[in-house]
Amino acid sequence: CTGDSVGAGWIRSFCQMDTENGELAPEMTVGVIPDYRRKGIAALLMNERYREAKMQGWENLSLGVHQGNSAAIRLYQKHGWVESGVYEEYLLMLKKL
């Protein structure tokens, strides 16, 4: 263990949100460098982001994932994310907390 960062996750919020309808819900981003994928790191990062979002009082999170990233899509679905639309080459997803 070198102490180097192997992944990151964050949530960005928008000035005006209608979280009741899932519109402009805070957007979550998670990334893990390739050599460390499929080791549970993304799930750990996501679970921490969910905890933080709940502490902020948010009821929904959103994200966009490239439609060709089937591994990430499966992970998000496993965590309860549902498809909410498509924007260009991205699948938009929503999670109720």
Side-chain angles (χ1 to χ4, degrees), residues 39 41 45 49 62 79:
K39 298 180 186 309
I41 295 168
L45 291 168
R49 301 298 77 77
S62 65
H79 275 251

Side-chain angles (χ1 to χ4, degrees), residues 20-52:
E20 191 171 309
N21 294 315
E23 296 175 10
L24 292 177
E27 184 180 69
M28 185 182 81
T29 301
V30 171
V32 177
I33 62 174
D35 287 348
Y36 290 87
R37 291 182 184 155
R38 298 186 185 263
K39 298 180 186 309
I41 295 168
L44 292 171
L45 291 168
M46 290 165 55
N47 287 332
E48 185 60 20
R49 301 298 77 77
Y50 303 153
R51 185 187 69 74
E52 291 172 356

